Amino acid sequence: MAQSALLKSSIAKKVAMALSGIFLVTFLALHFFINLTSVFSSEIFNKMSHFMGYNPLIQFVMQPILVAGVVFHFVMGIKLELENRNARPIGYAKYNGAANATWASRNMIVSGLVVLAFIGLHFYDFWVQEITYKYIESNAIDESRYYPELVAKFENPIRTGLYCLAFVLLSLHLWHGFNSSFQSVGFNNKFSKSLHKLGYAFAIIVPFGFIFIALFHFFNN
């Protein structure tokens, strides 16, 4: 009975983890789309950024949900990873992890922590400065400030390189995460193969799209 309850609890955690990951992916896709406009038009990027920055629904409803989702996903991910490691039999001295699983699946906690650190830096760079600009310094509204602020972040080659590295690790994290999420929610039907391929495409296109945006602005500074 105790084992059954433990198994159900573990499955419930994995499902919650998967759903929170899928939820965060939608915000990542939106963020990517907005940033991508900066490559083609500073005016469009400024307008979209201003809308996101001053829309009450996004600022006071969606943004807190996003922050809660990020915290939940990474705390739950670390908890599940530690539980899985503790549940493995001790006699694993000859276990060759590389022969049985990919690097991404064996190091989700590593890539996850790096991505979490990057998100923290991103919040400091943009969200904290935005709050300071709007509510602490009470500056006049300037709808054209977003593009110069974005470009300025990619003037430093070290910072740009770390940014790109973070998105490479995000790609690996997403690559395994999509596969794990579909398994956790028990998604297995005629559409599952296509959705797996779509997930893998997302794991490559979006993170490397962010890298392209960073390098574009770095070399055009």
Side-chain angles (χ1 to χ4, degrees):
M1 181 70 73
Q3 271 190 328
S4 177
L6 189 62
L7 179 62
K8 288 181 179 178
S9 174
S10 178
I11 293 173
K13 289 176 183 177
K14 288 180 179 179
V15 170
M17 177 74 176
L19 293 176
S20 67
I22 293 171
F23 166 73
L24 293 176
V25 159
T26 60
F27 281 92
L28 182 65
L30 176 62
H31 190 55
F32 170 65
F33 175 74
I34 293 173
N35 278 21
L36 186 61
T37 63
S38 69
V39 173
F40 305 103
S41 171
S42 59
E43 183 180 353
I44 294 175
F45 176 76
N46 283 331
K47 286 183 177 179
M48 295 187 74
S49 297
H50 180 74
F51 173 80
M52 297 292 289
Y54 284 87
N55 185 286
L57 177 63
I58 294 171
Q59 289 295 301
F60 303 113
V61 179
M62 301 306 295
Q63 192 164 258
I65 292 174
L66 173 61
V67 173
V70 168
V71 173
F72 175 84
H73 183 76
F74 283 98
V75 169
M76 185 62 69
I78 293 171
K79 181 178 175 62
L80 283 171
E81 180 67 19
L82 293 176
E83 288 178 356
N84 289 338
R85 291 185 179 184
N86 292 333
R88 290 170 186 159
I90 296 175
Y92 254 14
K94 295 182 179 179
Y95 174 73
N96 183 4
N100 297 277
T102 63
W103 185 94
S105 64
R106 287 182 286 112
N107 294 276
M108 286 294 280
I109 193 169
V110 175
S111 61
L113 286 172
V114 173
V115 172
L116 182 60
F118 168 75
I119 291 174
L121 175 62
H122 190 73
F123 267 94
Y124 172 77
D125 269 350
F126 293 96
W127 187 78
V128 172
Q129 290 189 18
E130 186 75 4
I131 295 299
T132 302
Y133 181 91
K134 290 191 295 188
Y135 302 114
I136 298 177
E137 296 178 352
S138 299
N139 290 294
I141 296 176
D142 179 8
E143 296 185 22
S144 65
R145 64 188 170 88
Y146 302 98
Y147 183 80
E149 289 176 359
L150 174 71
V151 172
K153 300 299 180 185
F154 299 116
E155 291 179 348
N156 188 307
I158 296 176
R159 185 187 186 86
T160 303
L162 291 174
Y163 181 94
C164 293
L165 176 61
F167 273 104
V168 170
L169 290 173
L170 176 62
S171 178
L172 294 172
H173 192 82
L174 289 171
W175 184 274
H176 175 71
F178 273 113
N179 184 53
S180 180
S181 296
F182 289 136
Q183 289 180 351
S184 297
V185 298
F187 190 84
N188 186 19
N189 55 40
K190 64 180 181 179
F191 301 110
S192 59
K193 184 177 288 188
S194 297
L195 278 177
H196 271 79
K197 291 180 179 178
L198 184 63
Y200 290 146
F202 185 96
I204 295 173
I205 294 171
V206 172
F208 282 91
F210 275 107
I211 291 173
F212 165 74
I213 294 167
L215 294 177
F216 174 86
H217 290 299
F218 173 74
F219 287 111
N220 283 279
N221 261 319

